[in-house]
Amino acid sequence: MTIDVDRLSLERLEDVLSDLPKEKLANILARLADMSAANMQAIAAAVGKQKPSLQRAAARRSADERASSLLAEIEDIASEFNEYGGGPREDEERVCGFCRDLQRPIEKQAVSPDIRAQAIESILEQVVQGNSGLDDLLTETAFCAAKTRDDWRSVIEKLEPLASRKDSGYHRNMVMHLYLDKLGDEETYLRMRQAHLRFGSDYYDLVQYWKKNGNHQKAMEVAREGLKMGEGRLDELRVFLEGARERRGGRRVGSPTTCHNSRGLHLERLSWKLVVVCSRP
């Protein structure tokens, strides 16, 4: 390649140098440094300034490689568990350790966004299959990888097939709260919540939303409706209305010892938040 030195600008020189192989560029710098002490000092100073960023880049590459290896191990075990509906205890402990080791660099922001996106994608694919017995652990790890709004959108997109199943109240509650808490999408939360009011815990969840937003009248209306229409555990609704009665004065809201509706059903309140305890060696 022939270069017109007289017409060469600094910008053009940078373009030319950036196209050179690393070995050739190193050879050019070494020859320039050998030409004079001033060149040597200038090159040494430039390299010294770049050293911290180069070290950070090398550390991130190393962390990404380690994270990719851990993801492959997690996916292999989870895939096998999904195929057979579970697996050996020792493999369960191994995957728990892999997930814990993956979460550490993610929490320290030591891995790249691409690795976090890969973790969300590959791990939640195993969760959607739903036959591994590892869903809580895997979901917790995927949630750990979600740091930005785009990450949380990816999480929601992966979980929505589970949330749309008729019998999947747990994942539906999880997704609607991700819309609310992670994306601030109150409209979608309300649409989903109001479309799925069955148990006392569903009504109480909506009560808490209105209460948090300062609409106590709406919260009381939802609580009263829940006492009439809700199935299962109604304790929280009753306690909320009793508290409102005491603050405002008025009649009691039924018997405080009654905690089931007329259908005699009982269901503990579900929470979408995950608590995973791994066995430690």
Side-chain angles (χ1 to χ4, degrees):
M1 177 174 60
T2 303
I3 300 175
D4 186 345
V5 177
D6 293 333
R7 301 179 61 186
L8 186 64
S9 66
L10 179 60
E11 182 178 351
R12 174 61 180 149
L13 179 60
E14 289 179 350
D15 290 340
V16 171
L17 293 176
S18 66
D19 291 336
L20 293 176
K22 182 173 65 176
E23 294 78 9
K24 183 169 287 189
L25 184 59
N27 180 262
I28 291 173
L29 289 174
R31 288 168 59 190
L32 285 172
D34 191 51
M35 290 173 63
S36 71
N39 284 356
M40 174 71 78
Q41 291 175 355
I43 292 171
V47 171
K49 289 179 181 178
Q50 294 297 318
K51 190 173 182 181
S53 62
L54 293 174
Q55 288 176 334
R56 287 193 296 270
R60 172 154 289 190
R61 281 197 300 271
S62 177
D64 282 358
E65 290 173 2
R66 172 61 174 158
S68 293
S69 176
L70 289 168
L71 275 173
E73 296 281 6
I74 292 167
E75 189 172 2
D76 284 347
I77 295 175
S79 179
E80 186 171 335
F81 273 44
N82 269 315
E83 182 177 357
Y84 296 106
R89 176 66 179 175
E90 53 268 28
D91 284 345
E92 186 175 339
E93 291 181 350
R94 285 177 62 225
V95 76
C96 195
F98 292 146
C99 285
R100 189 168 59 242
D101 290 345
L102 178 61
Q103 288 178 31
R104 289 193 189 106
I106 290 175
E107 289 170 349
K108 294 177 180 178
Q109 300 183 351
V111 299
S112 67
D114 287 344
I115 289 294
R116 291 192 290 101
Q118 183 183 340
I120 292 168
E121 177 79 15
S122 64
I123 291 175
L124 289 183
E125 280 183 6
Q126 299 302 320
V127 172
V128 169
Q129 293 184 46
N131 195 41
S132 68
L134 302 170
D135 290 354
D136 283 356
L137 170 64
L138 297 176
T139 304
E140 181 198 37
T141 304
F143 280 14
C144 177
K147 303 298 182 187
T148 67
R149 288 176 64 85
D150 286 342
D151 290 341
W152 285 113
R153 288 191 185 98
S154 297
V155 169
I156 290 170
E157 182 180 343
K158 295 298 293 185
L159 291 175
E160 276 187 328
L162 290 177
S164 64
R165 294 177 186 173
K166 186 177 180 180
D167 60 345
S168 186
Y170 175 76
H171 286 101
R172 186 163 49 246
N173 286 340
M174 181 186 290
V175 167
M176 70 176 67
H177 273 281
L178 290 177
Y179 273 114
L180 179 63
D181 300 333
K182 301 301 182 181
L183 299 184
D185 188 345
E186 298 185 40
E187 182 179 349
T188 300
Y189 164 79
L190 284 172
R191 175 174 52 79
M192 293 181 69
R193 179 75 285 166
Q194 290 169 343
H196 297 93
L197 291 172
R198 177 182 176 185
F199 298 105
S201 58
D202 298 331
Y203 285 94
Y204 186 68
D205 182 55
L206 188 55
V207 166
Q208 291 295 96
Y209 168 81
W210 289 120
K211 180 181 175 183
K212 183 178 179 181
N213 282 273
N215 194 333
H216 294 279
Q217 183 60 38
K218 188 68 175 177
M220 290 178 66
E221 291 174 7
V222 172
R224 291 192 187 102
E225 181 184 353
L227 283 181
K228 294 178 182 178
M229 306 296 295
E231 300 177 11
R233 182 184 176 99
L234 306 176
D235 298 58
E236 291 87 354
L237 296 173
R238 195 174 304 282
V239 169
F240 173 77
L241 288 173
E242 284 291 333
R245 181 196 65 81
E246 290 175 2
R247 287 191 299 272
R248 296 187 178 191
R251 66 182 182 85
R252 297 181 65 79
V253 185
S255 168
T257 59
T258 304
C259 61
H260 297 80
N261 64 9
S262 58
R263 304 187 192 186
L265 298 174
H266 177 75
L267 182 71
E268 290 296 326
R269 182 179 172 211
L270 293 176
S271 171
W272 69 275
K273 295 187 178 179
L274 299 166
V275 178
V276 179
V277 179
C278 297
S279 326
R280 295 184 179 273

